[in-house]
Amino acid sequence: MKIHSLCGRLRMRICDFERRERMWKTGLAQAMRLSPPKGSVPEIIETLLLVPITNTLCRETGKAIRYRQTLTGSFTLLYRNRPFAVIFLPNPGTGRVFIKYQNSNGVQCTVLKELWDTDEIAGFIRQNLS
């Protein structure tokens, strides 16, 4: 599945969230009687990007793929509670998603590269995880 449309929606939602947050902090939102923004950037990333990606991977590979947020703000993809990839969004407002794969010991085995398609992750799962 191409994730271009997911990234576009993610970019728009995060920019809107950050704009409303700035409006609320400056007092402009109260004058316009807008409600404070709900949620957080990691929640938006989870609902708009990670949940669809993991659901697609589960459907394509037949394996139970999960994710976990790390302390640095990145997200680790897990299979059998073992990490196999890390997803980074250095600037979520741009909508660009990067991934690096890990070996069975949890050590980085590929360089950080931009993610365009879930087929790439599914191929890595089929090839390296059994």
Side-chain angles (χ1 to χ4, degrees):
M1 169 181 95
K2 302 271 187 217
I3 65 165
H4 183 69
S5 62
L6 295 176
C7 292
R9 278 185 280 186
L10 176 71
R11 178 179 61 239
M12 295 299 289
R13 191 74 157 284
I14 288 178
C15 287
D16 182 55
F17 175 81
E18 290 174 344
R19 180 183 57 80
R20 289 189 67 157
E21 198 171 56
R22 277 192 307 274
M23 286 176 64
W24 189 259
K25 287 179 181 177
T26 60
L28 186 59
Q30 290 93 335
M32 297 173 63
R33 294 195 169 116
L34 295 175
S35 61
K38 293 179 176 75
S40 64
V41 172
E43 283 180 20
I44 295 170
I45 293 170
E46 285 181 33
T47 56
L48 292 179
L49 185 71
L50 291 170
V51 170
I53 285 177
T54 54
N55 289 345
T56 302
L57 289 173
C58 290
R59 193 171 43 252
E60 287 179 4
T61 62
K63 298 185 185 320
I65 306 298
R66 307 215 183 288
Y67 64 89
R68 175 179 63 210
Q69 184 177 4
T70 63
L71 296 175
T72 60
S74 59
F75 296 87
T76 304
L77 294 177
L78 307 166
Y79 174 63
R80 294 185 181 164
N81 292 326
R82 297 191 67 155
F84 70 90
V86 180
I87 292 182
F88 293 96
L89 287 96
N91 182 0
T94 63
R96 295 179 70 191
V97 180
F98 295 90
I99 189 167
K100 69 177 178 181
Y101 296 100
Q102 298 176 335
N103 63 14
S104 60
N105 298 328
V107 178
Q108 178 181 342
C109 66
T110 62
V111 295
L112 187 67
K113 60 183 181 177
E114 195 162 359
L115 180 65
W116 296 101
D117 199 346
T118 58
D119 293 338
E120 178 185 330
I121 303 171
F124 180 85
I125 291 169
R126 284 187 202 102
Q127 184 178 17
N128 297 313
L129 306 175
S130 49

